[in-house]
Amino acid sequence: MSKNASVRRAPRMADVAAMAGVSGMTVSRVLRDPTCVTPETLQRIEQAIEATGYVANRVAGSLASRRTNIVGLIVPSLRNSLFVETIQGVSDVLGTSHPLMIADSGYSLAGEEAAIRAFLGQRVCAVVLHNTTHTDRSRVMLREAGIPCVETGNLTRQPIDMVASFSNRKAARAMTAYLIARGHRRIGFASLPTDDNDRAEERRAGYQAALSRARMPVDPALTIEVAAGLAGGAEALTYFLSLTPAVDAVFLSGDVLATGAVLEAKRRRIAIPKRLAIVGTDDSDLQERISPAVTTLRFPRYDIGRRAASMLLTRLDGRPVDPASVDLGFEIVERATA
Amino acid sequence: MSKNASVRRAPRMADVAAMAGVSGMTVSRVLRDPTCVTPETLQRIEQAIEATGYVANRVAGSLASRRTNIVGLIVPSLRNSLFVETIQGVSDVLGTSHPLMIADSGYSLAGEEAAIRAFLGQRVCAVVLHNTTHTDRSRVMLREAGIPCVETGNLTRQPIDMVASFSNRKAARAMTAYLIARGHRRIGFASLPTDDNDRAEERRAGYQAALSRARMPVDPALTIEVAAGLAGGAEALTYFLSLTPAVDAVFLSGDVLATGAVLEAKRRRIAIPKRLAIVGTDDSDLQERISPAVTTLRFPRYDIGRRAASMLLTRLDGRPVDPASVDLGFEIVERATA
DNA sequence: TTGAAAGCGATACCAG
DNA sequence: CTGGTATCGCTTTCAA
């Protein structure tokens, strides 16, 4: 009943071994493969583990084996539900065998580099990155570390190692072509600032590619960058409506921007999609709840997370990953605004 | 120009020390306190670190010091934006000095226990939990580990260690009182199943407490549990409308449920809030975007994360945390549905 | 301010 | 199938 007054330190493998009457090595083996000993020995060891409340020390194990099973993941922001989808996918596949360490870069390349450095200090066994643009140092550190790495934010042609994503360019091009096919001739494009943001940049390129292919002029006045948030979307809409001649469609890169534009258009009592079509990207359930429901691009972010994780596990398992670049595609979700 | 053909292993502290002409110990010290050596020595060491591309091995460091700086965090789900707010708060305060390991329990106590076990194996230095109900084993493991722990999902009276949260009970009671004050007399309450979900249970208790205080009957038929999702909200509404006498207000625990109820009420062309008031919890920007905008409870989830992290850091720093229970409060956001 | 020696608690490797 | 021994790359401790 009385607690031992001395501070009881955490049980070590040797304690378990002693109690079970075997060597530490045997305990160590059993922990990784319970079938490698006689059932009787196994039982004694399991009892000892139970009795002592032993929890294997992965820190010591990692040092000895020179390898952890921690996977590091870096997203621009944790708050954004887009990234969270991917995180959940990664987490679901990794399960409990590979702890997940997560950091956010705060949308900056320097932030990403700092996170990578911290992860390498922890000797993570693999890394998942959302960004596909990085500082030189980040690339060097990752290469020197020699650990598997999957990028997920864009189907980049020059991955550090592997990539599981979709093509932002193709998606934007398809969406623009969709608008063109429906008869729109003056299409505005708004995104967040493209500095350090390869995704926005690629989408703009896709938008322009679609115009070119349709032999339509690429008017610089129709491509703008706005601040994030609903206000940014409203701002974009206001700008496009002020142009002469007027635009007949607007493509906003990002779900919040698109929502902001739709709300602003409603406020101004502009007929959607009759007078003005509005489309966005990053479909979320929000898009179908607002009225009119927004036509958007849908990206398989959860599956990208799953795929990224399984590519890593394959490589950690010593098997080659082929192809090292996986395109999970995208989808246009037609709704009421275009 | 030619790369060394042999596989170059990662540089160790000894390599840096040799290059700088000092002992390993000096390098070790400098890494933690650059001011503890002569400026000249410091410079030589920094150059050596730069030249070798040395990244300190925290695995070895942790084993030697018997302590990591990894913080473990467990949420019911990563997908839910509610939890993500708290995660971001924790992450922002921990910064890059304390890597964050994140796991999801999948809303189950067993899942939480598995995650705790995994974290303890990694020898995390502290834990943040969302749940405030746990398996006995979870409690025992945490107690034995002797590491600081903050619970964040509910202002429980019996925390494992510390708690930074709000009172689900008080919040639900205040919201119910709000409805009563506005003249509603037959108020329905719907939540997700309360098994293993102390938050939902506390809210139901708060709802009942408000009724009792107003000397209103607590009709068991007015308290139901529904499945998650928009459909669950619609289901709840349908049920309440089928009752005789009819309800004049509905309180839904959870933002998605409330949204589902509002959409269903609109579909049925029920006058809100005239014939029926609808209120929810967990305010998100979604609530003000749908029409009519939903009156809800707002919880300071981001601040809870920040506070939880700073409580942990204080304790890790050897300083006492007082009070160990922090109530961050809540707020009723009055909008159009009540 | 600096260094030498002794662990930290596992695993790798080789014997038996 | 089982055990002994030498690391793994740091920090702690103590001495100079």
Side-chain angles (χ1 to χ4, degrees):
Chain A
M1 210 57 180
S2 73
K3 250 187 188 165
N4 192 328
S6 71
V7 179
R8 201 175 48 217
R9 56 157 182 56
R12 295 163 310 174
M13 194 174 270
D15 300 326
V16 174
M19 181 175 290
V22 295
S23 79
M25 266 321 297
T26 303
V27 176
S28 176
R29 287 197 190 93
V30 163
L31 255 25
R32 278 168 299 175
D33 176 16
T35 68
C36 73
V37 294
T38 64
E40 187 198 300
T41 308
L42 174 61
Q43 198 192 343
R44 287 214 314 283
I45 292 176
E46 284 179 335
Q47 281 176 352
I49 289 177
E50 180 64 30
T52 54
Y54 174 68
V55 179
N57 186 333
R58 292 295 314 151
V59 176
S62 295
L63 178 60
S65 64
R66 303 157 174 263
R67 145 182 67 76
T68 70
N69 45 3
I70 302 171
V71 172
L73 184 152
I74 304 173
V75 287
S77 164
L78 287 163
R79 270 184 151 135
N80 195 318
S81 58
L82 302 183
F83 309 134
V84 173
E85 282 290 303
T86 305
I87 295 178
Q88 182 74 60
V90 170
S91 176
D92 285 352
V93 170
L94 293 183
T96 184
S97 68
H98 290 73
L100 189 58
M101 209 168 252
I102 301 182
D104 76 275
S105 69
Y107 291 97
S108 94
L109 264 43
E112 186 187 67
E113 182 181 311
I116 290 174
R117 188 183 307 278
F119 281 171
L120 293 181
Q122 301 291 339
R123 295 297 189 267
V124 296
C125 64
V127 177
V128 180
L129 264 26
H130 186 81
N131 256 17
T132 52
T133 51
H134 317 279
T135 65
D136 288 342
R137 273 192 114 75
S138 292
R139 285 181 173 277
V140 169
M141 286 194 294
L142 248 14
R143 196 186 339 271
E144 302 254 302
I147 57 178
C149 168
V150 184
E151 291 162 273
T152 61
N154 184 52
L155 200 68
T156 174
R157 308 267 278 178
Q158 279 103 37
I160 293 179
D161 181 11
M162 300 178 279
V163 52
S165 190
F166 59 88
S167 167
N168 283 278
R169 183 185 298 235
K170 275 190 206 162
R173 183 165 154 175
M175 184 55 111
T176 308
Y178 169 87
L179 289 172
I180 294 172
R182 294 177 81 93
H184 299 285
R185 285 296 168 270
R186 218 166 134 69
I187 305 170
F189 177 86
S191 70
L192 301 182
T194 56
D195 320 328
D196 294 354
N197 187 340
D198 45 318
R199 279 95 64 198
E201 202 176 323
E202 286 286 291
R203 288 178 191 175
R204 190 172 56 192
Y207 155 78
Q208 293 175 346
L211 294 182
S212 299
R213 157 161 289 213
R215 303 183 182 286
M216 286 166 60
V218 176
D219 181 349
L222 293 186
T223 300
I224 62 170
E225 294 182 356
V226 294
L230 290 175
E235 179 194 339
L237 190 90
T238 302
Y239 167 77
F240 286 127
L241 289 177
S242 73
L243 296 179
T244 311
V247 297
D248 53 17
V250 182
F251 180 6
L252 297 110
S253 177
D255 61 337
V256 179
L257 250 36
T259 305
V262 170
L263 293 179
E264 179 65 14
K266 271 179 76 176
R267 205 181 62 77
R268 292 166 173 258
R269 304 192 176 287
I270 290 173
I272 305 176
K274 200 146 194 182
R275 181 171 150 207
L276 182 71
I278 298 179
V279 299
T281 64
D282 297 304
D283 186 60
S284 65
D285 48 0
L286 167 64
Q287 305 296 351
E288 64 188 330
R289 286 188 219 174
I290 71 167
S291 171
V294 190
T295 292
T296 61
L297 281 164
R298 178 181 292 158
F299 305 127
R301 300 198 181 268
Y302 175 73
D303 288 332
I304 286 172
R306 292 195 68 102
R307 187 61 173 262
S310 65
M311 288 167 89
L312 290 180
L313 290 181
T314 300
R315 274 276 277 282
L316 291 173
D317 203 36
R319 304 197 307 276
V321 173
D322 184 47
S325 173
V326 179
D327 187 348
L328 277 301
F330 58 87
E331 195 182 335
I332 292 180
V333 183
E334 294 191 47
R335 286 203 275 255
T337 60
Chain B
M1 210 59 181
S2 74
K3 248 185 184 167
N4 191 326
S6 71
V7 179
R8 201 175 49 217
R9 55 158 184 56
R12 294 162 310 174
M13 195 176 270
D15 301 325
V16 174
M19 181 175 289
V22 296
S23 78
M25 264 324 295
T26 304
V27 176
S28 175
R29 287 195 188 96
V30 163
L31 256 25
R32 277 167 301 176
D33 177 16
T35 67
C36 75
V37 294
T38 64
E40 187 199 301
T41 309
L42 174 59
Q43 200 192 341
R44 287 214 316 281
I45 293 176
E46 283 179 337
Q47 281 174 352
I49 289 176
E50 179 64 31
T52 53
Y54 174 68
V55 179
N57 186 333
R58 292 295 314 151
V59 176
S62 295
L63 178 59
S65 65
R66 302 152 170 274
R67 143 182 69 76
T68 70
N69 46 2
I70 302 171
V71 172
L73 183 155
I74 304 173
V75 286
S77 164
L78 288 163
R79 271 186 147 135
N80 196 319
S81 59
L82 303 182
F83 308 135
V84 173
E85 282 290 304
T86 304
I87 295 178
Q88 182 76 58
V90 170
S91 176
D92 285 352
V93 170
L94 293 184
T96 183
S97 68
H98 290 75
L100 188 58
M101 207 168 253
I102 301 181
D104 76 275
S105 69
Y107 291 96
S108 94
L109 264 43
E112 185 186 68
E113 182 181 310
I116 289 174
R117 188 183 305 278
F119 282 170
L120 260 23
Q122 301 291 340
R123 295 299 189 265
V124 296
C125 64
V127 177
V128 180
L129 263 27
H130 185 84
N131 255 18
T132 52
T133 51
H134 317 278
T135 64
D136 288 341
R137 275 191 112 75
S138 292
R139 286 182 173 275
V140 170
M141 286 193 292
L142 248 15
R143 197 187 338 274
E144 303 254 300
I147 57 178
C149 167
V150 183
E151 291 162 272
T152 61
N154 185 54
L155 199 69
T156 174
R157 308 266 279 178
Q158 279 105 36
I160 293 179
D161 181 9
M162 299 178 280
V163 53
S165 190
F166 58 89
S167 167
N168 282 279
R169 183 186 297 236
K170 276 191 205 159
R173 184 165 152 175
M175 184 56 112
T176 307
Y178 169 89
L179 289 172
I180 294 171
R182 294 177 80 94
H184 298 286
R185 285 296 169 269
R186 218 167 134 69
I187 304 170
F189 177 85
S191 70
L192 300 183
T194 56
D195 319 330
D196 294 353
N197 187 340
D198 45 319
R199 279 95 65 197
E201 201 176 324
E202 286 287 290
R203 289 179 190 172
R204 190 172 56 192
Y207 154 79
Q208 293 175 346
L211 294 183
S212 298
R213 158 162 289 213
R215 301 183 184 287
M216 286 165 59
V218 177
D219 181 349
L222 293 186
T223 301
I224 62 170
E225 295 182 357
V226 294
L230 290 175
E235 179 194 338
L237 190 91
T238 302
Y239 167 79
F240 286 128
L241 289 176
S242 74
L243 296 178
T244 310
V247 298
D248 54 18
V250 182
F251 181 5
L252 296 110
S253 176
D255 60 338
V256 180
L257 249 37
T259 305
V262 170
L263 293 179
E264 178 65 14
K266 272 177 75 177
R267 205 181 64 76
R268 290 166 174 258
R269 306 193 174 287
I270 291 172
I272 304 175
K274 200 145 192 181
R275 181 172 149 205
L276 182 70
I278 299 179
V279 298
T281 64
D282 297 304
D283 186 60
S284 65
D285 47 1
L286 167 64
Q287 304 297 348
E288 62 190 330
R289 286 190 220 172
I290 72 167
S291 171
V294 190
T295 292
T296 60
L297 281 165
R298 178 181 292 158
F299 305 126
R301 299 197 181 268
Y302 175 74
D303 289 332
I304 287 172
R306 292 195 67 104
R307 187 60 174 263
S310 67
M311 289 168 89
L312 290 180
L313 291 181
T314 299
R315 272 276 277 283
L316 290 173
D317 202 35
R319 305 198 308 276
V321 173
D322 183 46
S325 173
V326 179
D327 187 348
L328 278 300
F330 58 87
E331 196 182 335
I332 291 180
V333 183
E334 293 191 48
R335 284 201 277 254
T337 60

